[in-house]
Amino acid sequence: MSAYEFLVAGGIVSIPLVAFSIMTVALVIERFWFWNRIKSREKPLIKEVLKIYRSDYVTAIAKLRKNADLPTARIFLEALELEQANATEFRLALETATQAELPLLKRFNTFFQTVITIAPLFGLLGTILGLMQSFASLDLGNTGGTSTTGVTGGISEALISTVMGIVVAITTLMFANVFRSLYLRQIALIQEWGGQLELLYRRIYEKGEKVYANR
């Protein structure tokens, strides 16, 4: 059985399930590209910035501006570019900027959860429709009038749609869990790096030095 024949045998519910599959694959690719960009660039950048900031905060801020496409760089900039902020204001700026970045880090999570929930339901719907087709093809009072093609076609639709729904849900769940783990790891790193930056800022601020750079 070819892929086309398999989808046709799955009945009408195969259409939304295929659509969900295509959208999921596209979003999974986007998320992998997003997280790969962060993992490959952000950690070395932040370590370098924290090292430079101890002695030359102007250069550190300039380096963050050059990498403003990274979430942690934007978070740090929101706090570091505040003029004459005290330690409390600096911490609040870090926390507020972090909250602003959360939707980007959790992007498409709602879609993934929707697919995980709804795909098995479409599979169940296909099962019911297939069984309805099978029963409609039965003629209990007249064995010769029973449509064998209709019965087998309905059973085939019921089984294939169920399999499709479960496969789509399981696959999406696996990727959603991967992205969730990456998100939790990123939040932990932001908190760790933010705490280190706040300590450095406090030390410089307590010395009475200028701790911001003009835009």
Side-chain angles (χ1 to χ4, degrees):
M1 180 182 291
S2 65
Y4 175 76
E5 292 173 339
F6 183 84
L7 295 177
V8 171
I12 192 171
V13 298
S14 64
I15 297 175
L17 289 174
V18 169
F20 281 139
S21 300
I22 294 173
M23 294 175 65
T24 299
V25 169
L27 298 183
V28 164
I29 293 173
E30 190 279 338
R31 287 288 85 187
F32 270 121
W33 175 83
F34 172 81
W35 286 112
N36 181 67
R37 178 169 58 88
I38 290 179
K39 289 176 68 65
S40 62
R41 293 175 50 200
E42 197 168 67
K43 189 172 183 178
L45 170 68
I46 298 303
K47 285 188 174 182
E48 183 180 2
V49 166
L50 291 174
K51 182 178 180 180
I52 296 174
Y53 188 76
R54 292 180 173 88
S55 57
D56 187 356
Y57 40 82
V58 175
T59 301
I61 293 175
K63 185 171 287 293
L64 287 172
R65 287 174 177 170
K66 291 180 180 179
N67 294 273
D69 59 320
L70 298 175
T72 306
R74 291 194 294 269
I75 292 172
F76 281 15
L77 283 173
E78 285 294 325
L80 292 173
E81 290 182 337
L82 287 177
E83 297 187 4
Q84 300 178 341
N86 57 38
T88 301
E89 292 171 338
F90 186 84
R91 184 178 69 255
L92 289 175
L94 282 176
E95 294 175 352
T96 302
T98 300
Q99 291 298 317
E101 293 294 332
L102 293 184
L104 178 63
L105 299 177
K106 296 191 295 185
R107 193 178 184 187
F108 304 131
N109 278 12
T110 301
F111 174 82
F112 291 142
Q113 293 302 320
T114 300
V115 172
I116 292 168
T117 302
I118 204 171
L121 296 179
F122 271 115
L124 178 60
L125 176 61
T127 301
I128 295 172
L129 294 176
L131 293 176
M132 289 175 61
Q133 178 182 333
S134 295
F135 286 124
S137 300
L138 291 174
D139 189 348
L140 299 179
N142 181 12
T143 306
T146 299
S147 174
T148 304
T149 302
V151 174
T152 56
I155 295 175
S156 176
E157 178 180 343
L159 296 176
I160 291 176
S161 59
T162 302
V163 169
M164 288 180 63
I166 293 175
V167 169
V168 171
I170 291 176
T171 303
T172 305
L173 177 61
M174 291 172 59
F175 285 116
N177 285 339
V178 170
F179 297 138
R180 175 175 171 76
S181 66
L182 291 172
Y183 163 77
L184 294 175
R185 175 60 177 165
Q186 181 68 15
I187 292 300
L189 288 174
I190 290 175
Q191 292 175 344
E192 177 186 348
W193 292 332
Q196 294 176 15
L197 180 65
E198 185 179 354
L199 289 174
L200 294 174
Y201 184 89
R202 285 175 178 269
R203 292 175 183 175
I204 298 174
Y205 180 81
E206 290 172 356
K207 295 179 182 178
E209 299 181 27
K210 174 185 173 183
V211 286
Y212 63 92
N214 294 326
R215 294 180 181 271

